[in-house]
Amino acid sequence: MDEHDWLARRFEGHRTHLRAVAYRMLGSLSEADDAVQEAWLRLSRTGTEDVDNLGGWLTTVVGRICLDMLRSRKSRQEDPVGAQLPDPIIGREGGIDPEHEALLADSVGLALLVVLDTLDPAERLAFVLHDMFALPFDEIAPIVGRSPGATRQLASRARRRLQGSPTVPDADLARQREVVDAFFAAARGGDFDSLVSVLDPDVVLRAEGGVVPAGTTRSVRGAATVASQALMFRQAGTGGVLRPVLVNGVAGMVVTRDGVPQTLFAFTVVAGKIAAIDLIADPDRLATLDFEPLG
């Protein structure tokens, strides 16, 4: 085995971890793959002669690449907050594809990724690398160009932004499914009161596509407002088939017509109530999503 093959094999041992870091940083599966590939190119040019901890070195390299990508995205204003929901990972009711399990550790649901998208790039990096991957602040600091103390403050600010947001769903998947099924039964039956009863008073609905301009997301909040919106879902479901799915490991639903996905719903169920609904109905966006695990 030559040196290049040996290096490639060592890198492959870290690929899953690096992809998980990049997905949390970017919320995009394709961009995460691009970041990991760029890390490989940098490693192949640099070698490992001066690297004592390859995993840590690669994590910081991917973090730096993702930080640059987020800053570039922000400077071009091509992806303003709320413009597009993060990439969902879709699976069968029986479980997530093993390839995606590492990406979804620590309850990385769409609701969490949406909130992460509201953070400043440096805040997001400090929070993700420290709180999710236990990287010390003195290793994160050089990436963001701050002192370890200032980097700690970045993560603290990010943590405060996350507090109070419905990002961590109930662990009982069967209970999640009961709540989601009750939501659709009430929506299809036009039962406003039953809809309100399964919604958290501060529930947020984020809708991408459908009745909103392509490439944008509309957000509404409050049980009564969301219930009124949900009554329109029965029209979206008319003539379609409701198929239970997992979206980032939690209960979701896809509406299909003639086997073609029309609308994807991701739910965040907290304390037995729906606290967030993320909806993708843009045909162009749906065409980019990976429904292959569903068959």
Side-chain angles (χ1 to χ4, degrees), residues 69-148:
M69 293 172 74
L70 287 174
R71 285 172 170 167
S72 176
R73 182 193 294 177
K74 186 175 181 179
S75 67
R76 293 195 304 268
Q77 296 185 334
E78 66 175 25
D79 188 17
V81 173
Q84 181 171 285
L85 292 172
D87 285 346
I89 295 175
I90 303 159
R92 295 176 181 270
E93 273 281 274
I96 289 292
D97 188 302
E99 179 184 350
H100 291 143
E101 284 182 355
L103 293 179
L104 298 179
D106 304 317
S107 300
V108 184
L110 281 191
L112 173 60
L113 292 172
V114 167
V115 178
L116 289 177
D117 272 347
T118 68
L119 300 177
D120 175 84
E123 291 175 349
R124 184 170 187 167
L125 181 133
F127 175 82
V128 168
L129 292 188
H130 180 267
D131 286 46
M132 292 186 168
F133 294 98
L135 212 65
F137 286 119
D138 59 356
E139 294 183 24
I140 302 171
I143 305 176
V144 295
R146 310 280 183 93
S147 68

Side-chain angles (χ1 to χ4, degrees), residues 42-248:
R42 294 188 186 187
L43 176 64
S44 63
R45 291 194 297 263
T46 304
T48 60
E49 292 181 2
D50 299 322
V51 178
D52 295 326
N53 178 358
L54 182 59
W57 185 87
L58 286 169
T59 298
T60 58
V61 167
V62 166
R64 186 171 287 110
I65 292 167
C66 290
L67 183 62
D68 290 343
M69 293 172 74
L70 287 174
R71 285 172 170 167
S72 176
R73 182 193 294 177
K74 186 175 181 179
S75 67
R76 293 195 304 268
Q77 296 185 334
E78 66 175 25
D79 188 17
V81 173
Q84 181 171 285
L85 292 172
D87 285 346
I89 295 175
I90 303 159
R92 295 176 181 270
E93 273 281 274
I96 289 292
D97 188 302
E99 179 184 350
H100 291 143
E101 284 182 355
L103 293 179
L104 298 179
D106 304 317
S107 300
V108 184
L110 281 191
L112 173 60
L113 292 172
V114 167
V115 178
L116 289 177
D117 272 347
T118 68
L119 300 177
D120 175 84
E123 291 175 349
R124 184 170 187 167
L125 181 133
F127 175 82
V128 168
L129 292 188
H130 180 267
D131 286 46
M132 292 186 168
F133 294 98
L135 212 65
F137 286 119
D138 59 356
E139 294 183 24
I140 302 171
I143 305 176
V144 295
R146 310 280 183 93
S147 68
T151 304
R152 183 186 300 274
Q153 289 301 313
L154 289 174
S156 179
R157 287 203 299 269
R159 218 172 287 122
R160 287 195 297 270
R161 295 281 294 276
L162 288 166
Q163 287 176 351
S165 298
T167 59
V168 181
D170 292 346
D172 188 340
L173 186 57
R175 178 56 182 153
Q176 289 181 35
R177 178 55 59 193
E178 289 177 6
V179 174
V180 170
D181 287 347
F183 169 86
F184 279 99
R188 283 194 146 181
D191 189 338
F192 181 84
D193 291 337
S194 293
L195 275 169
V196 171
S197 72
V198 299
L199 298 173
D200 183 271
D202 294 320
V203 61
V204 59
L205 166 67
R206 294 174 286 255
E208 178 186 318
V211 296
V212 298
T216 61
T217 300
R218 184 180 64 184
S219 176
V220 296
R221 186 178 293 274
T225 304
V226 172
S228 297
Q229 292 286 314
L231 291 178
M232 300 185 341
F233 297 164
R234 58 178 172 170
Q235 298 175 357
T238 301
V241 175
L242 293 178
R243 183 169 183 179
V245 296
L246 295 181
V247 182
N248 284 51

